Amino acid sequence: MINDTISDMLTRIRNANLAKHETVSIINTKTNQRISEILKKQGYIESVKISLNPLDLIEIKLKYNGNLKKPCITNLKRLSSPGLRVYSNYKNIPRILNGMGTIIVSTSKGLMTDQEARNNKIGGEILFSIW
């Protein structure tokens, strides 16, 4: 049994990216579904396919640049963990690479990017950063 499904998802994506796999399967939870939708919208992954088989997996197709298969995701870092939660108001949400990277924030309105949280003036738990 996995206690932290977000960390498991990020580790699977990071490992598949380093091994240059085309797809990666992750555990199907509502949080993981929303995170994968945000990553697709931000352009970090190509597609998301939610399977309805008994295993309940989400299949993510990773995105690469060029013929050399250079990954679009260069860094994935978990900022808040179950043992040490990190909260911030919308004014103090950090910027990654001067706005080039993305931070995923869990707010009272659901999961959203750092830019959406600043625009809606909502703070919350800072889950992870990606660039």
Side-chain angles (χ1 to χ4, degrees), residues 90-107:
Y90 74 95
K91 294 177 186 175
N92 295 332
I93 295 174
R95 292 186 189 273
I96 301 295
L97 293 178
N98 234 359
M100 296 296 290
T102 305
I103 291 181
I104 305 299
V105 182
S106 176
T107 67

Side-chain angles (χ1 to χ4, degrees), residues 48-111:
V48 178
K49 187 172 114 179
I50 299 169
S51 62
L52 298 175
N53 62 2
L55 295 176
D56 284 328
L57 296 174
I58 300 173
E59 190 171 299
I60 294 176
K61 186 173 183 186
L62 299 174
K63 191 174 184 180
Y64 295 98
N65 293 330
N67 294 335
L68 300 176
K69 289 187 90 173
K70 184 177 179 192
C72 287
I73 300 172
T74 57
N75 197 336
L76 215 58
K77 185 175 181 184
R78 182 83 153 113
L79 299 173
S80 180
S81 64
L84 181 62
R85 304 283 186 188
V86 178
Y87 296 97
S88 176
N89 62 10
Y90 74 95
K91 294 177 186 175
N92 295 332
I93 295 174
R95 292 186 189 273
I96 301 295
L97 293 178
N98 234 359
M100 296 296 290
T102 305
I103 291 181
I104 305 299
V105 182
S106 176
T107 67
S108 58
K109 305 288 184 190
L111 293 177

